[in-house]
Every structure is written in C-alpha cells, then in structure tokens.
Amino acid sequence: MNRRTFEINKASQKIKTSHPNCLLCGRQPVDGAHIVPRNNPAKKNDPTKEENIVSLCRRCHVTYDKNKTMESRMDFWIENGFIQIAQRIRNIIEP
C-alpha cells in the first residue's frame, strides 16, 4: 500500500469512528464516502482530508455514487438538507 492510499484509508476510518451512523438514514456506516471522487482532478480535491469524507451506509453510498456529475452530487446533498456539503463540493471543484 502506498502512502497516499494509507492516508486516504486513515482519514476514512477516522470519519467512520467519529460518526458511527449514516449521515442520511442513521444506519451503521460501512463506508467513509468521498463527497468528490478520489480521482477527481480538481486542484483542491484532497481525498485525505476528513472534511471531504462523510459517513454513509453501503446503500446510501451506492445511491450517492450514481450521481456522476458534480452538479448532480451537489443537488443530492441539497435535496437531503445538507447545503453545507454541497457548498464544500463547490469550493473544491471551482478554480
């Protein structure tokens, strides 16, 4: 495992420990979900930062990942009452 993967996994595990329930439905989380995909080329996208990860159960994570565009990802969070997360995405992807 390279250093970057280690840091990503470490941040994800910390989120899962500090937020023991799914942000959307309250179930026990399985994943630390990145609000912007790890491979997004935006300069401000740092998948090792905890503020770029949220706790989601597997079902909610799969539902979220169906949103392929950043605009649809922001809409997802707004529709679910998490305007602050949508704003974080905008801050990451804007030049």
Side-chain angles (χ1 to χ4, degrees):
M1 176 184 315
N2 66 33
R3 177 121 178 110
R4 181 173 166 83
T5 301
F6 174 79
E7 292 299 325
I8 290 169
N9 290 344
K10 183 173 140 185
S12 184
Q13 187 59 42
K14 189 169 182 181
I15 289 295
K16 290 179 355 182
T17 302
S18 63
H19 298 90
N21 296 316
C22 176
L23 187 61
L24 296 171
C25 71
R27 289 191 181 102
Q28 290 293 320
V30 176
D31 302 321
H34 290 84
I35 61 172
V36 173
R38 291 179 294 185
N39 62 355
N40 185 288
K43 287 184 179 184
K44 294 185 253 179
N45 185 27
D46 183 352
T48 65
K49 287 189 174 182
E50 292 175 40
E51 60 264 21
N52 296 339
I53 305 171
V54 294
S55 275
L56 295 179
C57 69
R58 174 57 61 169
R59 187 176 80 179
C60 290
H61 193 174
V62 168
T63 300
Y64 178 61
D65 282 349
K66 289 179 183 175
N67 296 288
K68 298 299 180 192
T69 67
M70 291 299 106
E71 202 63 41
S72 66
R73 285 174 178 256
M74 287 186 285
D75 289 343
F76 175 89
W77 290 112
I78 291 168
E79 290 167 7
N80 284 286
F82 293 93
I83 296 168
Q84 308 91 334
I85 295 174
Q87 186 59 46
R88 276 193 250 159
I89 293 171
R90 183 167 307 286
N91 292 339
I92 290 168
I93 63 172
E94 285 185 344

